[in-house]
Amino acid sequence: MIQPQLILLREGTDTSQGKPQLISNINACINIVDMIKTTLGPCGMDKLIHNGRDVNISNDGATIMNLLEIEHPAAKSLVDIARAQDDEVGDGTTSVVVLAGELLKESKQSIEDGIAPQVIIKAFRSALSVAMQTLDNLCVPFPKEKDASHEDLIRCAETALNSKLINTERRFFAEMAMRAVTTLDDDMNLDMIGIKKVTGGSMKDSVLVDGVAFKKTFSYAGFEQQRKKFDNPKVLLLNIELELKAEKDNAEVRLKDPKQYQSIVDAEWKIIFDKLDKCVNSGANVVLSRLPIGDLATQYFADRDIFCAGRVAVDDMNRVALATGGVVQSSLNNVPAEVLGSCQLFEERQVGAERYNFFTGCQNSKTATIILRGGAQQFIEEADRSLHDAICIVKRAIRTGSVVGGGGAIEMELSKVLREYSRTIRGKEQLVISGYARALEIIPRQLAENAGHDSTDNPQQASPERTT
């Protein structure tokens, strides 16, 4: 008797498994790597990605991987690798994807030769352990002198910028990245470095503000009458709305006598004026709020020689609080002098076609702002990504306190060590570790190919002697 077929999975479910599926997954990853590996290094090419709406031009590995909209489930793991590298280190996103693809290619050869995936993984972990020990022996610590260590940090940032669009001014931006990171706290929270983008001008017009700068917020009548520069101002930070609002949506008032209407209007005006008086009595010269500051409050502050700005972005407000030492207030019933921030200079300046508010000479100075300039929006966006990579590299270098050689040198040395190590062991693992060593050579080989050279050429060949 024929048994009926049991259906355990949803219709259309793919149950492929075994060696053919492994090779299929590896091939999908290799196809992705082939698309991105030409962007590696200082001679790598930029990719233009058009998704039907926007056009992006970049050679940043994580950006390209995110924009590709990859659907293959195995190939998506490469996107996760690039994101993890971008979050943890900042730079090297293309390198890790290319290296992962080459390791998969070597694994494919081992699988076709009949080696079990478990053996390959065990050998890879053994090779990783040897490579990490070798890295610890090869790393060069930073000098203890502050000026010398700063120079090394600048060189690290220059290396990160060498393959970017702004490489012609890499020294200028590397110094900017180093100074920005060294102003932060010990936790080095990169959210405390604000990057603002203003179209127009040249790259050299970009500035690093030792403090906070943000774009002028939406303003009401009376704003132009306010003073735009204060020396040693007191800064009041609020999370309070300072404007009259129609309460028809929030409350209902029923009157028995029309004369009572005026008392309700007077009560609303009294509430807003009480808030404004408390702001003035606090002694603040600059009032910032996350919520709107209406035209009544703007004119009120202008008449009393106080600058105000409403609808300040949350990240800008947090950086102002950290830099000036102020505390954001959600009530004006008690505003002691301790909650007011301070700085040496507040002023509003013109930056390109925009107006920016600058807080400089802050007492804590644990935050910085970089204002990027450039001729086109695409250029500035790529400069932003490049500078973020440089900043992350400086942070990572400070944390580790040491560096290794670049340009494929460290990969070739690790490949040499692993080849020697593979000869000391027996069995199938020897072949896998030898493949791991070959995979490391992809970095210098791809750098040479992207530069237009033949990676198998020997540059040490002597030139023939001239004869007379």
Side-chain angles (χ1 to χ4, degrees):
M1 182 176 179
I2 300 176
Q3 296 292 331
Q5 183 179 3
L6 295 176
I7 300 177
L8 302 177
L9 303 176
R10 187 176 59 186
E11 185 179 356
T13 302
D14 186 3
T15 58
S16 302
Q17 54 184 325
K19 185 185 294 186
Q21 187 59 39
L22 274 175
I23 294 175
S24 174
N25 290 341
I26 291 174
N27 288 336
C29 295
I30 291 174
N31 288 336
I32 297 297
V33 174
D34 288 340
M35 281 192 287
I36 198 175
K37 67 183 182 181
T38 53
T39 68
L40 183 67
C43 299
M45 295 181 289
D46 291 354
K47 297 294 181 184
L48 188 150
I49 302 172
H50 177 51
N51 60 4
R53 300 179 304 275
D54 302 320
V55 175
N56 291 275
I57 302 173
S58 177
N59 70 348
D60 182 66
T63 303
I64 296 172
M65 296 295 286
N66 286 327
L67 293 174
L68 285 178
E69 299 179 357
I70 298 169
E71 292 296 331
H72 193 282
K76 278 186 176 180
S77 61
L78 292 179
V79 180
D80 294 335
I81 290 173
R83 285 177 180 169
Q85 178 75 3
D86 194 40
D87 292 339
E88 288 295 321
V89 181
D91 196 21
T93 50
T94 305
S95 300
V96 295
V97 172
V98 171
L99 189 56
E102 194 66 15
L103 288 171
L104 287 173
K105 187 181 291 186
E106 294 293 338
S107 302
K108 176 183 173 183
Q109 183 62 46
S110 299
I111 290 171
E112 290 174 344
D113 292 341
I115 301 176
Q118 292 83 351
V119 176
I120 297 174
I121 291 297
K122 182 180 178 182
F124 274 12
R125 286 174 176 160
S126 177
L128 176 63
S129 177
V130 174
M132 293 301 295
Q133 293 176 6
T134 307
L135 277 176
D136 290 336
N137 296 331
L138 292 175
C139 66
V140 179
F142 286 150
K144 295 182 179 180
E145 295 80 10
K146 186 175 181 180
D147 292 340
S149 64
H150 282 183
E151 182 61 31
D152 284 345
L153 292 176
I154 292 173
R155 292 172 65 186
C156 289
E158 282 186 293
T159 302
L161 294 172
N162 202 34
S163 61
K164 306 299 182 183
L165 194 63
I166 55 177
N167 62 347
T168 55
E169 301 292 347
R170 56 181 177 271
R171 178 74 187 189
F172 174 76
F173 285 105
E175 292 178 356
M176 187 179 292
M178 184 275 295
R179 286 163 48 204
V181 175
T182 52
T183 60
L184 300 179
D185 277 334
D186 293 336
D187 62 349
M188 285 188 286
N189 182 6
L190 297 186
D191 291 337
M192 291 298 105
I193 299 177
I195 298 181
K196 307 297 180 181
K197 293 166 277 190
V198 181
T199 306
S202 66
M203 289 186 292
K204 281 290 188 80
D205 292 332
S206 302
V207 294
L208 172 68
V209 181
D210 187 13
V212 184
F214 57 86
K215 186 179 175 181
K216 181 183 82 70
T217 59
F218 183 84
S219 56
Y220 289 88
F223 178 80
E224 295 302 334
Q225 300 175 24
Q226 294 178 350
R227 185 145 63 105
K228 303 300 189 298
K229 183 175 181 179
F230 291 92
D231 293 319
N232 299 311
K234 297 295 183 182
V235 184
L236 176 61
L237 308 177
L238 302 175
N239 189 24
I240 302 172
E241 196 171 35
L242 297 177
E243 69 174 347
L244 286 168
K245 289 183 66 68
E247 295 295 342
K248 63 181 181 180
D249 298 328
N250 302 322
E252 179 180 347
V253 180
R254 296 187 179 183
L255 304 176
K256 295 181 179 179
D257 186 354
K259 296 180 181 178
Q260 294 177 337
Y261 179 75
Q262 186 60 42
S263 64
I264 295 173
V265 174
D266 293 341
E268 288 182 337
W269 283 84
K270 185 177 184 304
I271 291 172
I272 185 68
F273 276 118
D274 283 345
K275 291 180 180 179
L276 298 178
D277 287 337
K278 289 175 181 176
C279 292
V280 175
N281 295 334
S282 68
N285 307 108
V286 178
V287 178
L288 304 180
S289 179
R290 291 174 181 166
L291 299 177
I293 296 180
D295 49 1
L296 171 67
T298 303
Q299 186 63 57
Y300 187 90
F301 287 136
D303 295 340
R304 287 155 182 80
D305 197 27
I306 295 175
F307 177 90
C308 70
R311 294 191 177 95
V312 179
V314 175
D315 57 337
D316 291 330
M317 183 69 84
N318 291 339
R319 291 191 298 111
V320 170
L322 187 67
T324 63
V327 180
V328 179
Q329 300 295 301
S330 57
S331 173
L332 288 169
N333 292 329
N334 182 26
V335 185
E338 294 78 22
V339 302
L340 298 179
S342 63
C343 62
Q344 291 182 4
L345 178 65
F346 165 80
E347 64 177 330
E348 184 180 285
R349 296 207 303 260
Q350 192 79 18
V351 180
E354 307 288 352
R355 288 161 69 178
Y356 271 72
N357 297 324
F358 287 80
F359 296 82
T360 54
C362 302
Q363 59 178 10
N364 292 346
S365 187
K366 296 176 182 177
T367 182
T369 305
I370 297 173
I371 300 179
L372 285 178
R373 305 295 306 279
Q377 190 64 33
Q378 284 283 2
F379 181 88
I380 296 180
E381 293 292 342
E382 182 65 8
D384 180 16
R385 290 188 284 264
S386 304
L387 194 57
H388 174 265
D389 288 354
I391 289 172
C392 290
I393 285 298
V394 173
K395 173 188 173 182
R396 177 61 57 176
I398 293 175
R399 284 276 176 84
T400 58
S402 58
V403 293
V404 293
I410 193 67
E411 286 84 359
M412 288 302 296
E413 182 64 23
L414 291 177
S415 178
K416 172 189 170 186
V417 171
L418 287 174
R419 285 180 189 277
E420 294 173 353
Y421 170 70
S422 68
R423 298 189 185 103
T424 63
I425 58 178
R426 300 177 61 185
K428 298 177 181 178
E429 290 186 19
Q430 183 185 41
L431 298 175
V432 178
I433 294 176
S434 179
Y436 192 106
R438 282 195 304 274
L440 290 172
E441 296 175 1
I442 185 60
I443 299 297
R445 188 164 68 243
Q446 193 62 47
L447 288 173
E449 290 178 2
N450 288 352
H453 303 300
D454 187 347
S455 57
T456 59
D457 277 350
N458 182 11
Q460 302 296 331
Q461 289 179 347
S463 59
E465 295 181 358
R466 281 186 69 181
T467 58
T468 57

